Amino acid sequence: MLRLSDEVYAQVIAHALSGLPNEACGMLAAPVGEEQVTRFFPVRNAAESSQIYRLDDAEYLQVERTADDEGLALVAVMHSHTHTTAYPSPTDVRDATAFDPFGALLYVIVSLKDPEPALRCYRIADGAIAEEPVAVEG
């Protein structure tokens, strides 16, 4: 399960919208050993594309350092889909398998296809996609 505070949820949605017309991306972190995400790290989409994303390498390394310094564990990768539903594309599955071969991370997708953004979460391991519940809490 992915547990987000109202504040983190709002940050993720705002970042997805601010990336338009391109996909936006970032990382979510929680205190080590806990489920509740307490921090969202926006990361530049180095692909600068409306159809794919690639976390900027330098920013990603800085996010890892900051999370470590703050006692946080990176638990999810976020990206937006500008014109499609919040479901992993074949490219998303291939990239997730290469980036996270053990399926340790969750993958959050925000669809901007409709006027109201839709956020869904998945675990991707060995090419298999499993949806995870999302709880947004005050």
Side-chain angles (χ1 to χ4, degrees), residues 61-77:
L61 289 174
Q62 183 58 50
V63 165
E64 279 190 322
R65 281 189 218 106
T66 301
D68 284 346
D69 291 347
E70 295 179 10
L72 301 173
L74 297 177
V75 296
V77 178

Side-chain angles (χ1 to χ4, degrees), residues 52-68:
I52 63 169
Y53 77 98
R54 192 177 84 243
L55 296 166
D56 180 85
D57 292 335
E59 285 186 35
Y60 176 72
L61 289 174
Q62 183 58 50
V63 165
E64 279 190 322
R65 281 189 218 106
T66 301
D68 284 346

Side-chain angles (χ1 to χ4, degrees), residues 9 14 21 24 26 35 38-39 48 51 57 66 72 76 78-79 87 89 92 102-103 105 107 112 122-123 131-132:
Y9 176 82
E35 287 186 0
T38 58
R39 185 89 189 266
E48 297 183 5
Q51 297 179 354
D57 292 335
T66 301
L72 301 173
M78 165 272 171
H79 78 280
Y87 189 81
S89 69
D92 293 338
F102 299 108
L105 295 171
Y107 288 84
L112 302 175
Y122 303 90
R123 186 167 306 279
E131 187 161 8
E132 294 281 334

Side-chain angles (χ1 to χ4, degrees), residues 2-138:
L2 181 70
R3 301 169 73 88
L4 304 173
S5 67
D6 289 333
E7 180 181 349
V8 168
Y9 176 82
Q11 290 171 356
V12 168
I13 298 299
H15 182 61
L17 290 167
S18 74
L20 288 170
N22 295 329
E23 289 191 1
C25 55
M27 299 294 299
L28 296 129
V32 174
E34 295 183 25
E35 287 186 0
Q36 178 73 36
V37 171
T38 58
R39 185 89 189 266
F40 173 62
F41 294 95
V43 177
R44 186 178 76 82
N45 178 358
E48 297 183 5
S49 169
S50 64
Q51 297 179 354
I52 63 169
Y53 77 98
R54 192 177 84 243
L55 296 166
D56 180 85
D57 292 335
E59 285 186 35
Y60 176 72
L61 289 174
Q62 183 58 50
V63 165
E64 279 190 322
R65 281 189 218 106
T66 301
D68 284 346
D69 291 347
E70 295 179 10
L72 301 173
L74 297 177
V75 296
V77 178
M78 165 272 171
H79 78 280
S80 59
H81 281 182
T82 59
H83 296 93
T84 59
T85 60
Y87 189 81
S89 69
T91 300
D92 293 338
V93 173
R94 183 190 70 232
D95 291 349
T97 301
F99 183 72
D100 178 29
F102 299 108
L105 295 171
L106 295 172
Y107 288 84
V108 172
I109 301 174
V110 177
S111 173
L112 302 175
K113 180 179 108 171
D114 298 318
E116 184 67 29
L119 183 149
R120 292 172 69 187
C121 179
Y122 303 90
R123 186 167 306 279
I124 302 171
D126 294 327
I129 302 165
E131 187 161 8
E132 294 281 334
V134 177
V136 179
E137 303 165 341

